[in-house]
Amino acid sequence: MSHEGIRIVHRENLPVEQVQLPIEARTPAKVRVKKTEGTGVEIDWKDGHESRWNFAWLRNACPCATCHEEREKTGRAPGKPKPKPQTLLAMYEAPPRPIDVTPVGNYAVRFKWNDGHESGIYSWEYLRRICECNRCASERRE
Ligand SMILES: [Zn+2]
Ligand SMILES: [Zn+2]
């Protein structure tokens, strides 16, 4: 018999990021990385939720320490693009897309981006937390 169901967890005082998501909410049932199409990533979760992100968004949500710090400093939410410098003439920048996508254990995925950056390890849990569907996005804004 499992005791999972009766475990008492004191969640009230924890900041939102530290409350663990239920296992079904952070376990992908299906992951589709549209590398060839260059569009983005689609994940169907075990709890029936579906998440979609485009590659530019994911690149701007890179969870590595450097990107995370840079976002914290400028108050940029994960996935939001960097403000473009006003003074420079628009320089052509190739839209972000991964050159390589590798699974990390069974808990994460790692992208090697076309700009050379590859230190971000996107855990399933992180991806679920940054789900961009209307419901999750509006819940986060509240
Ligand atoms: Zn990064
Ligand atoms: Zn969602």
Side-chain angles (χ1 to χ4, degrees):
M1 202 178 108
S2 157
H3 290 275
E4 276 291 301
I6 55 164
R7 204 159 37 127
I8 295 163
V9 185
H10 294 280
R11 308 186 144 194
E12 295 77 26
N13 301 322
L14 284 173
V16 181
E17 316 81 61
Q18 281 172 35
V19 178
Q20 245 204 350
L21 295 170
I23 184 86
E24 304 80 36
R26 53 190 158 91
T27 309
K30 230 184 236 167
V31 180
R32 288 177 298 271
V33 180
K34 310 271 196 177
K35 197 161 110 165
T36 322
E37 298 91 326
T39 49
V41 177
E42 306 177 353
I43 298 181
D44 299 343
W45 303 95
K46 283 251 166 83
D47 67 352
H49 201 83
E50 291 174 14
S51 305
R52 310 271 178 273
W53 307 267
N54 66 48
F55 286 128
W57 202 94
L58 287 170
R59 175 65 186 86
N60 281 315
C62 176
C64 86
T66 315
C67 295
H68 179 79
E69 230 171 72
E70 190 270 329
R71 282 197 303 271
E72 292 274 284
K73 257 190 267 166
T74 53
R76 191 159 57 89
K80 297 283 170 286
K82 281 182 200 174
K84 295 251 185 262
Q86 299 291 310
T87 49
L88 295 175
L89 285 172
M91 277 189 307
Y92 177 73
E93 240 180 77
R97 58 184 294 161
I99 299 164
D100 227 348
V101 185
T102 26
V104 182
N106 57 8
Y107 73 95
V109 65
R110 181 178 197 143
F111 297 98
K112 182 176 179 164
W113 298 101
N114 53 348
D115 61 6
H117 193 61
E118 55 173 325
S119 29
I121 291 171
Y122 296 68
S123 71
W124 305 134
E125 173 142 18
Y126 178 69
L127 286 168
R128 178 58 188 258
R129 286 186 191 283
I130 58 166
C131 176
E132 259 296 277
C133 79
N134 291 336
R135 208 173 88 200
C136 296
S138 66
E139 266 171 31
R140 277 200 305 274
R141 271 196 298 273
E142 270 160 25

